[in-house]
Amino acid sequence: DSTARVGKMRKQEPADVFIGDQTIRCEVWELTAQDEQRKYLQRIFYAHDLSPFLLQREISELPDALPDGREQQPRSTQMSKVVALRVPYVVKGEPVACSCLKVVQNNNKGSTVRMELRAENVPGGVVAAWTTDFDARRRASRWSLLELVDFGTTARAE
């Protein structure tokens, strides 16, 4: 889901992800990725037997190294986590079971919080989303709403 090239990939010790009252044991993978300007460190929590499979992702944009070797804070961070499973939502007049994903992005200019409802039988997955941007003082500066109104899964003959 980005143009960054994956570098090192290491399997970590399994870990639990908590969704509501459910504890899900996940494989944990740590990987580095790099694009033309940035380097990233990601931790991915994967459950091979539970859709939507990728239950949590932590991404840090790594700073440039200091000449003296001191550690710096990441330039930005992003935390994506499934917070609910099997949430009912109406798509094209029919109830659909969705997972609810919360994405929080932070950087020195502020933060963005996005809630998404995702359905695996819908192309692209997202059926609804609510996003709020906050400035550096934590004041809401912009918000947006998205709702899928229609989709198709078969090709049309012209």
Side-chain angles (χ1 to χ4, degrees), residues 46-111:
Y46 177 76
H48 64 87
D49 56 350
L50 180 66
S51 178
F53 309 110
L54 185 61
L55 301 183
Q56 184 171 310
R57 180 187 298 201
E58 303 162 358
I59 303 172
S60 297
E61 181 185 339
L62 301 175
D64 296 329
L66 290 173
D68 61 7
R70 284 183 295 141
E71 293 279 325
Q72 291 189 64
Q73 295 286 28
R75 289 185 177 159
S76 65
T77 60
Q78 177 177 306
M79 168 72 139
S80 305
K81 183 175 184 204
V82 174
V83 294
L85 298 167
R86 295 176 295 283
V87 175
Y89 192 77
V90 176
V91 178
K92 292 176 61 171
E94 297 292 324
V96 175
C98 299
S99 56
C100 182
L101 179 73
K102 181 178 183 181
V103 181
V104 179
Q105 294 176 298
N106 294 298
N107 63 37
N108 61 355
K109 295 179 182 177
S111 61

Side-chain angles (χ1 to χ4, degrees), residues 16 20 28 31 43 49 60 68-69 82 94 103-104 107 109 113-114 118-119 122 143 146 148 151 154-155:
D16 292 334
V28 180
L31 59 98
R43 283 179 27 113
D49 56 350
S60 297
D68 61 7
V82 174
E94 297 292 324
V103 181
V104 179
N107 63 37
K109 295 179 182 177
V113 177
R114 179 177 172 97
R118 296 180 152 262
V122 173
W143 54 268
L146 174 139
L148 180 68
F151 68 93
T154 59

